[in-house]
Amino acid sequence: PGNLQLYETHGFSPDDRTILFSGIPHGGDYFAMEIYAYELATRRLLRLTENREWDEHAHFTPDGRSIVWASSDGIPMRKDPRDLRLDYWLMGADGSGKRRVTRFNDAAGERGTIMADFEFGPDGKTIVAKVGAAGRGESIVLLRLFD
């Protein structure tokens, strides 16, 4: 869908009707990667993000009303994958109400944090996430995103 040059699938909605994925238009780079929702029955493609940022790892919240994803939006950095810095964001399932929910990249520093793929815990408020940092390796962490 969307005639893109790259697709990275993320998963299904809780009702199995919609697939979330990241895509890059032809001629774009990773900082042109956006989040899309594709409704299987109607074949409707909805672009959920639209910025010049790195957007990926999108997952519906367990109730299906919101989406959490990783983005470089609002983080000062060079547009270079070697300087990648990502925090988690939250939006409505329709792309509305976007807001940043982690701030691991607020502190000035040489090396940023990359919040990567994750999975929701059974309470729907916590996630287990892969976190990386250039030159410092990767860790698996448990984060409470919602109260």
Side-chain angles (χ1 to χ4, degrees):
N3 191 29
L4 303 169
Q5 78 174 6
L6 179 137
Y7 296 84
E8 181 182 323
T9 58
H10 302 308
F12 287 92
S13 59
D15 63 7
D16 292 331
R17 294 181 180 179
T18 303
I19 298 172
L20 289 177
F21 68 90
S22 293
I24 298 175
H26 289 278
D29 61 21
Y30 282 102
F31 287 93
M33 188 167 12
E34 304 294 352
I35 304 295
Y36 295 85
Y38 182 69
E39 295 174 1
L40 295 168
T42 64
R43 297 184 177 195
R44 179 178 172 237
L45 181 64
L46 178 62
R47 185 174 174 174
L48 299 172
T49 60
E50 191 165 343
N51 55 37
R52 179 78 176 107
E53 300 297 339
W54 190 302
D55 296 301
E56 69 176 328
H57 305 305
H59 296 280
F60 281 97
T61 54
D63 64 10
R65 293 187 296 186
S66 300
I67 297 167
V68 174
W69 84 103
S71 180
S72 64
D73 198 6
I75 301 170
M77 59 183 266
R78 294 176 294 129
K79 299 290 188 206
D80 182 334
R82 295 170 294 185
D83 189 38
L84 185 61
R85 298 157 196 239
L86 301 174
D87 269 307
Y88 291 129
W89 283 68
L90 176 74
M91 65 178 146
D94 63 356
S96 64
K98 294 173 181 70
R99 66 182 176 92
R100 193 168 161 190
V101 293
T102 64
R103 297 207 167 262
F104 292 100
N105 290 290
D106 277 354
E110 226 176 85
R111 298 181 180 149
T113 299
I114 301 169
M115 305 307 294
D117 209 2
F118 64 92
E119 184 64 47
F120 276 95
D123 65 359
K125 297 178 180 183
T126 56
I127 62 171
V128 62
K130 179 180 172 183
V131 180
R136 294 183 296 190
E138 299 173 341
S139 299
I140 303 296
V141 298
L142 181 66
L143 296 175
R144 184 170 204 60
L145 286 185
F146 310 110
D147 288 322

